[in-house]
Amino acid sequence: KAGVTQTPRYLIKTRGQQVTLSCSPISGHRSVSWYQQTPGQGLQFLFEYFSETQRNKGNFPGRFSGRQFSNSRSEMNVSTLELGDSALYLCASSVTARTRTDTQYFGPGTRLTVL
Amino acid sequence: TQLLKQSPQFLSIQEGENLTVYCNSSSVFSSLQWYRQEPGEGPVLLVTVVTGGEVKKLKRLTFQFGDARKDSSLHITAAQPGDTGLYLCAANFGNEKLTFGTGTRLTIIP
């Protein structure tokens, strides 16, 4: 079974631009979660989608948004990029995202650098 | 705001030695997971513990969930270079969101 795939793997943007990242979950998984990982703040939860609905959201500004398609693939968008948005963006898929009992499988991440 | 603090932040030991890393919170969590992350990859789940006082073993790794459900530890016996990586604990505080710890970066020197 193929794992979680994220595209692109690396991205360089300048301040003020916007960016869209893509995540394809494991086949059969309906939940996709997004995380931001930085050296200073660690791994922080952005949002989670299940069956095309945002079910949970972290404490990030409205510049961060996402969506999920009917085939469970997900995209996240960051508008008006700031230098502090430079990070590794990880997506994770699971069958239900009931984190107490379900296993999340992470993709390799997209490394975003904002200049 | 629930915070998970891991200690130590960095650990560098010789191959064959034993080590323990800790994960602590001021709030009770309903479950706790441990992950290992290697450079260029996403975190990989090692174990999930859900019962206070629970102990789980995975080969040379022993995971313990504190009785009060506010802390957990990971003990590695006879560390090997393949154990090198970033170890992350992640807790569920009852809201179905995973809160990750600050991480312990482990280096095993051959």
Side-chain angles (χ1 to χ4, degrees), chain B residues 1 8 13-14 22 25 28-29 36-37 40 44 47 50 53 58 60 63 72 75 79-81 90-91 97 101 103:
Chain B
T1 303
I13 64 170
Q14 294 287 125
Y22 301 92
S25 171
V28 173
F29 35 75
R36 179 171 67 216
Q37 184 178 19
V44 175
V47 76
V50 298
L58 184 66
R60 295 176 293 101
F63 305 86
S72 179
H75 182 79
Q80 299 177 1
K97 288 190 282 191

Side-chain angles (χ1 to χ4, degrees), chain B residues 5-110:
Chain B
K5 185 169 171 55
Q6 289 185 242
S7 61
Q9 188 177 355
F10 298 95
L11 184 58
S12 183
I13 64 170
Q14 294 287 125
E15 181 178 358
E17 293 184 346
N18 302 333
L19 66 107
T20 303
V21 299
Y22 301 92
C23 176
N24 293 281
S25 171
S26 57
S27 303
V28 173
F29 35 75
S30 61
S31 68
L32 194 287
Q33 297 179 329
W34 284 94
Y35 291 82
R36 179 171 67 216
Q37 184 178 19
E38 299 186 24
E41 299 179 12
V44 175
L45 179 67
L46 297 173
V47 76
T48 300
V49 285
V50 298
T51 306
E54 184 175 4
V55 176
K56 281 192 174 179
K57 292 194 174 186
L58 184 66
K59 296 183 181 177
R60 295 176 293 101
L61 279 60
T62 301
F63 305 86
Q64 185 155 9
F65 196 7
D67 291 336
R69 309 172 71 86
K70 291 185 179 181
D71 60 277
S72 179
S73 64
L74 158 59
H75 182 79
I76 301 180
T77 304
Q80 299 177 1
D83 296 326
T84 293
L86 177 66
Y87 286 80
L88 296 160
C89 62
N92 180 324
F93 289 100
N95 56 7
E96 291 300 341
K97 288 190 282 191
L98 272 185
T99 299
F100 279 82
T102 49
T104 293
R105 192 164 296 280
L106 174 64
T107 302
I108 307 301
I109 304 165

